[in-house]
């Protein structure tokens, strides 16, 4: 009967459509009511959201790109993004009550999700569940695809990662170290640089904000040049990297992480280096590589369990912390991959 | 005894080192003497040069790049470049008198060549020998590598070729048509555009000099976008192409053909398209693909024999025509792949 299993559900709601970098004040906490039962005949799942993921690609855009999976910040609607959730009720034979999943969800306590194709079931729960927003989810899989599938690394090669402290960068660096590469990362603060070197095992790291001449900085860290560049920022950094690439170098650039640079249109003047040095540059989107997710997980889970890959998270407690967590991400203040804990089980 | 088998040998000689685009007046015809016998014990061949090849990558450079195979225009020396030649005497078991070869040689009637690794023996002589400077030599092989190996074309795809009338471009276009692709080329004159469309089978072609807005021109010819771009020019054209690439597009850029654009450093502002559209861009040098030459030849020879691939040459008669032939190439006046006929057998 009506009202049965109806609960209240706190939500992070956008005041209006956000077209630039989201600020805390662009959102507020509202409350709706929701039935915990999937309507009869609807192929959907009703989930309890546990861990929400703060990701750079969530930023708003003035021009709506056709190929975006979703828009995170629509007016008067809950934020949309990735998260880890628990199935409360299922209208699909593929999911049952109690299943843990990760994929696109909404920033609210409970969600009715109809995009079942994009939900991934979690089978391994001996690791922190929030990791399925990071090292074991989309960022980790992106790192895997870009580094192994696209860059085909060899032991001893020279690897550079921009935004190395980001959700993807920190994993690429550790993959590269595990392969016996020489790894340097750039980041935007002394604290991040210290963690890259002392906790994540990078050979070197530098604060790009303190380098007036990026070309000179790269020459200092890579006197022999760069074999592999994991590209996260574009612009001046890419231009400087191109000058320092080695013959047959490879550049991987993730489509998602880079979308927040859409408005940056600095001219790249050294592109012909790609030609002279026979460089491969490849943009990619992890969703084109769904078929490699289980291979990635098989590769990465043991390292995570043994502590050979560590992962920096910034844990924000309670759905109420959501707006602030997003502002911290987009102002570069986060101390790790941004996670909003809605509930722990 | 001394003097035996010594003949005079006309040469195209550079007055001084050429660091920019070679002009006719930068060179003169001289005469040296040469013994037609390979000196005892020297692993070399003495060849009679037949057809010399005018290639864009021959242009001079201010800064000598380490990875260049050779410098074409050194002071007081004969021009160096590719050519087809006949072995007159051999100091190597791999070559014998009468063998026809193609590879790096000098612009003179007879040459002593020691770089035997780079000489390729010609086994099929039922096609014009000069074709081994073009459709069956390095340009043809470059077209093959860039189109098939790098771009992995599929039937029905949309292919754009800049410098489409060039030594490589005209072959890429015909490969693409044979695969069932839609093919458009750009060139620098009405005459070239007409030949591309009426003789080489391109679906469309346009004169880039008459297009004030390259982006608009590309949108006109590719309303659905471009799947494959064979890049020969860089700069503004590349920037416009990036805006018109389709998701999962591929861009191949030959290291050799593009070296003549070294001094062009226009900023590319649309590079992030590579990321958003998950594009592959790959610079390549045909010398990295020597292992595919015989596969290429097997693929291409039948088409040439059957007239399914035609090849536009500009035949310049006599070694004396060499300086002018080079100037014609570098001023875009050539009516086809530039060939200098030194002798026909």
């Amino acid at each position: 009967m009506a009202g049965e299993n109806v609960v209240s559900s706190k939500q992070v709601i956008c005041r209006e459509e956000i077209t630039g970098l989201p600020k805390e004040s662009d959102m507020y906490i509202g409350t709706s009511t929701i039935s915990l039962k999937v309507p009869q005949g609807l192929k959907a799942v009703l989930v309890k959201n546990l861990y929400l993921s703060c990701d750079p690609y969530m930023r708003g855009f003035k021009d709506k790109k056709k190929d975006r999976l979703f828009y995170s910040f629509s007016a008067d609607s809950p934020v949309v993004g990735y998260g880890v959730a628990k199935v409360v009720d299922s209208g699909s034979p593929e999911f049952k009550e109690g299943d843990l999943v990760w994929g696109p969800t909404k920033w609210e306590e409970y969600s009715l999700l109809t995009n079942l194709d994009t939900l991934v079931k979690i089978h391994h729960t001996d690791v922190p569940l929030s990791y399925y927003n990071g090292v074991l989810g989309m960022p980790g899989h992106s790192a895997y695809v870009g580094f192994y599938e696209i860059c085909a690394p060899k032991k001893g090669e020279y690897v550079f990662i921009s935004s190395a402290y980001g959700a993807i960068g920190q994993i690429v660096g550790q993959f590269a170290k595990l392969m016996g590469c020489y790894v340097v990362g750039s980041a935007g603060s002394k604290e991040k640089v210290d963690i890259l070197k002392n906790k994540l095992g990078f050979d070197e790291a530098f604060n790009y904000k303190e380098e007036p001449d990026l070309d000179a900085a790269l020459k200092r860290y890579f006197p022999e040049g760069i074999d592999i560049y994991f590209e996260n920022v574009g612009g001046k950094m890419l231009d400087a990297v191109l000058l320092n690439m080695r013959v047959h170098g490879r550049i991987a650039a993730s489509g998602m992480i880079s979308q927040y640079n859409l408005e940056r249109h600095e001219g790249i003047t050294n592109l012909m280096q790609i030609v002279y040095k026979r460089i491969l540059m490849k943009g990619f989107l992890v969703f084109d590589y769904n078929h490699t997710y289980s291979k990635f997980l098989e590769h990465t889970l043991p390292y995570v369990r043994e502590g050979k890959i560590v992962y920096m998270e910034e844990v924000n407690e309670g759905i109420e912390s959501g707006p602030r967590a997003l502002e911290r991400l987009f102002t570069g203040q986060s101390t790790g991959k941004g996670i909003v804990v809605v509930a722990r089980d």
Side-chain angles (χ1 to χ4, degrees), chain A:
Chain A
M1 72 195 85
E4 203 189 5
N5 287 309
V6 168
V7 298
S8 78
S9 171
K10 277 188 258 183
Q11 300 178 306
V12 178
I13 298 189
C14 303
R15 294 185 194 282
E16 47 194 48
E17 186 176 321
I18 305 176
T19 56
L21 295 177
K23 297 183 303 297
E24 184 174 356
S25 58
D26 291 333
M27 294 159 264
Y28 67 94
I29 305 299
T31 303
S32 69
T33 55
I34 186 170
S35 164
L36 297 186
K37 284 278 170 210
V38 172
Q40 192 77 34
L42 186 66
K43 212 167 162 76
V45 289
L46 194 295
V47 299
K48 180 183 185 188
N49 291 304
L50 305 179
Y51 300 93
L52 300 171
S53 181
C54 301
D55 291 296
Y57 67 80
M58 292 170 72
R59 66 156 292 178
F61 293 95
K62 280 192 197 73
D63 49 339
K64 295 208 164 184
K65 297 275 164 192
K66 273 181 292 187
D67 62 346
R68 282 182 65 83
L69 280 182
F70 52 73
Y71 296 93
S72 290
F73 303 107
S74 302
D76 304 319
S77 306
V79 172
V80 178
Y82 270 63
V84 172
K86 191 169 74 179
V87 175
V88 174
D89 189 34
S90 174
S92 157
E94 288 164 61
F95 298 93
K96 63 175 199 303
E97 194 187 322
D99 277 353
L100 290 162
V101 296
W102 69 266
T105 184
K106 292 177 191 167
W107 284 43
E108 56 192 1
E109 289 179 288
Y110 294 93
S111 299
L112 182 70
L113 303 179
T114 53
N115 49 349
L116 302 186
D117 290 350
T118 58
L119 289 184
V120 180
K121 251 196 265 193
I122 295 172
H123 298 290
H124 306 279
T125 56
D126 59 327
V127 289
L129 282 182
S130 60
Y131 278 17
Y132 289 94
N133 285 336
V135 61
L136 300 177
M138 202 171 51
H141 191 202
S142 294
Y144 180 87
V145 166
F147 186 62
Y148 294 108
E149 302 277 327
I150 292 173
C151 293
K154 290 188 279 293
K155 189 179 168 178
E157 285 195 314
Y158 301 103
V159 176
F160 178 57
I161 302 156
S162 56
S163 279
Y165 196 82
I168 298 180
Q170 45 172 307
I171 308 169
V172 176
Q174 295 179 81
F175 280 158
K177 282 311 301 173
L178 287 165
M179 271 221 62
C181 296
Y182 168 81
V183 182
V184 179
S186 67
S189 76
K190 186 186 176 305
E191 293 67 33
K192 293 178 182 176
V193 164
D194 287 345
I195 294 175
L196 288 172
K197 287 200 284 190
N198 301 322
K199 196 150 177 178
L200 302 183
F202 282 56
D203 293 291
E204 292 287 351
F206 66 88
N207 182 349
Y208 69 89
K209 292 177 182 168
E210 288 178 354
E211 298 290 347
D213 182 343
L214 292 173
D215 178 39
L218 292 170
K219 286 194 164 48
R220 203 163 68 232
Y221 291 109
F222 293 98
E224 309 283 330
I226 299 167
D227 292 299
I228 290 176
Y229 174 44
F230 203 99
E231 152 70 8
N232 287 310
V233 297
K236 286 190 178 63
M237 182 64 92
L238 174 58
D239 224 10
V241 167
L242 284 168
L243 286 178
N244 289 281
M245 289 298 288
R246 305 180 84 188
V247 166
H248 294 132
R250 288 137 276 156
I251 299 176
S254 162
M256 279 218 106
I257 196 91
S258 295
Q259 290 208 16
Y260 62 100
N261 285 307
L262 258 181
E263 282 163 78
R264 179 185 290 196
H265 287 303
E266 293 166 290
I268 301 291
T269 57
N270 301 317
L271 195 60
M272 282 297 134
Q273 297 291 328
I274 289 184
V275 181
Y276 311 144
K277 295 180 184 160
R278 296 99 90 186
I279 291 168
L280 171 118
M281 181 166 180
K282 176 86 180 78
F284 72 97
L285 199 50
V286 69
F287 307 108
D288 293 332
Y289 293 83
N290 285 340
H291 57 285
T292 68
Y293 179 73
S294 52
K295 208 168 85 179
F296 147 72
L297 204 60
E298 209 171 289
H299 172 85
T300 309
L301 256 178
Y303 289 131
V304 171
R305 285 180 178 136
E306 294 162 25
K308 287 184 179 164
I309 289 180
V310 295
Y311 197 59
M312 304 300 296
E313 289 184 332
E314 173 178 280
V315 176
N316 299 273
E317 287 294 336
I319 193 166
E320 293 82 359
S321 70
R324 193 166 154 273
L326 285 167
E327 179 168 315
R328 286 178 60 79
L329 167 71
F330 287 109
T331 52
Q333 295 178 72
S334 312
T335 56
K337 169 73 173 74
I339 298 292
V340 173
V341 186
V342 183
R344 286 201 153 74
D345 59 29

